[in-house]
Amino acid sequence: MINRRHLLAAGTLVALALRLPVPALAADEPIRVVASFSILGDMVQQVGGDRVRVTTLVGPDGDAHVWQPAPADARTVADADLVVMNGLGFEGWMDRLVQASGYDGPVAVATTGIVPRQMAEAEEGEEDHDHDHHHGGTDPHAWQSLTNARIYVHNVLEALIAADSDDRPVFEANAAAYLKKIDALDARIRAEIASVPADRRKVVPSHDAFGYFAAAYGVGFLAPVGVSTEAEASAGDVAKLIDQIRAEKIPAVFMENISDPRLLDRIASETDAKIGGTLYSDALSPAGGPAATYLDMMDYNVRTLVAALRT
């Protein structure tokens, strides 16, 4: 890709030759990045620093599974220098949005190189509906593993360098510092989970968003619905889950910041499981909340899980 700063510099020379006004500090403008959802937007911001201006389509506490673009979102994408998405079927609306916007720039897929987790079976009734968020049996929530987060960071770094090679040293330094924080948190999460007896590491969240976390850290998650929040658990499935909670003495059920709590309230009321708190799965909290960044989210979730499972 031709570096945008080189284009700006060439434009400045032309302007000087023709005695036209030159925009002040045009070459120092940050690159405009559109990220599909809040967790990914934070990762881009951490790597890009002050050399990026990040706009997030699905914001804090937003549910990307059911989100629908508005005309203003198409204009936002059209003005971008770079679009970054999760992939793995998470943003079923993205191709349609990019096409509607007329954007023809680079689209980076942050999960490139990640081995996707396959669901045991597709969501019940998935083949009977025409929703934009289908995952086809693939779990898209790969950010729930900090090992995978390293791959996200690498892909974001490469995309930013391709868009603005002049700032490569800045991006690489930011990424290196961020990866150190990721590694430190990963080690801390493993130690925290290890402090919980193995037979108590079973919980029930609102939907199946924690498969990568379960595989990475050894916690069992039994969700009443599939990978999408729009899926609805059948009465039979809920009854089976209640029986399993009772039989296995699962200690806690957890709300999610993007989900309707009524189903879990019912499950908790019919079992001995307690409401262990709120987990952040597919979206960050607003600024000032307990999960305003990706690393804050992962740290908050594990502390919330461990506090409930230890008691």
Side-chain angles (χ1 to χ4, degrees), residues 132-169:
D132 285 336
H133 62 270
H134 289 171
H135 312 306
T138 297
D139 186 346
H141 306 87
W143 61 85
Q144 290 291 348
S145 158
L146 284 162
T147 299
N148 285 344
R150 294 184 60 86
I151 299 175
Y152 275 77
V153 171
H154 171 77
N155 289 328
V156 168
L157 173 62
E158 292 301 310
L160 291 177
I161 290 172
D164 178 11
S165 60
D166 287 349
D167 277 322
R168 178 173 187 149

Side-chain angles (χ1 to χ4, degrees), residues 13-102:
L13 291 174
V14 171
L16 289 172
L18 298 177
R19 300 181 182 274
L20 298 174
V22 178
L25 301 176
D28 289 330
E29 291 181 359
I31 60 175
R32 296 162 297 186
V33 184
V34 171
S36 58
F37 70 120
S38 58
I39 293 169
L40 190 52
D42 177 63
M43 290 182 176
V44 174
Q45 189 66 65
Q46 297 298 326
V47 178
D50 62 4
R51 302 312 310 143
V52 297
R53 185 166 72 246
V54 181
T55 301
T56 299
L57 295 174
V58 186
D61 285 338
D63 185 354
H65 291 289
V66 297
W67 184 80
Q68 292 294 328
D73 299 307
R75 292 192 292 272
T76 296
V77 170
D79 291 338
D81 298 309
L82 170 67
V83 171
V84 184
M85 61 182 290
N86 183 77
L88 300 181
F90 185 62
E91 310 96 333
W93 37 264
M94 181 61 85
D95 288 346
R96 177 166 51 87
L97 176 59
V98 169
Q99 183 176 10
S101 73

Side-chain angles (χ1 to χ4, degrees), residues 32 35 45 57 91 104 167 201 210 225-226 228 242 251-252 256:
R32 296 162 297 186
Q45 189 66 65
L57 295 174
E91 310 96 333
D104 61 357
D167 277 322
R201 298 178 201 163
F210 295 94
V225 299
S228 168
I242 288 173
E256 291 177 40

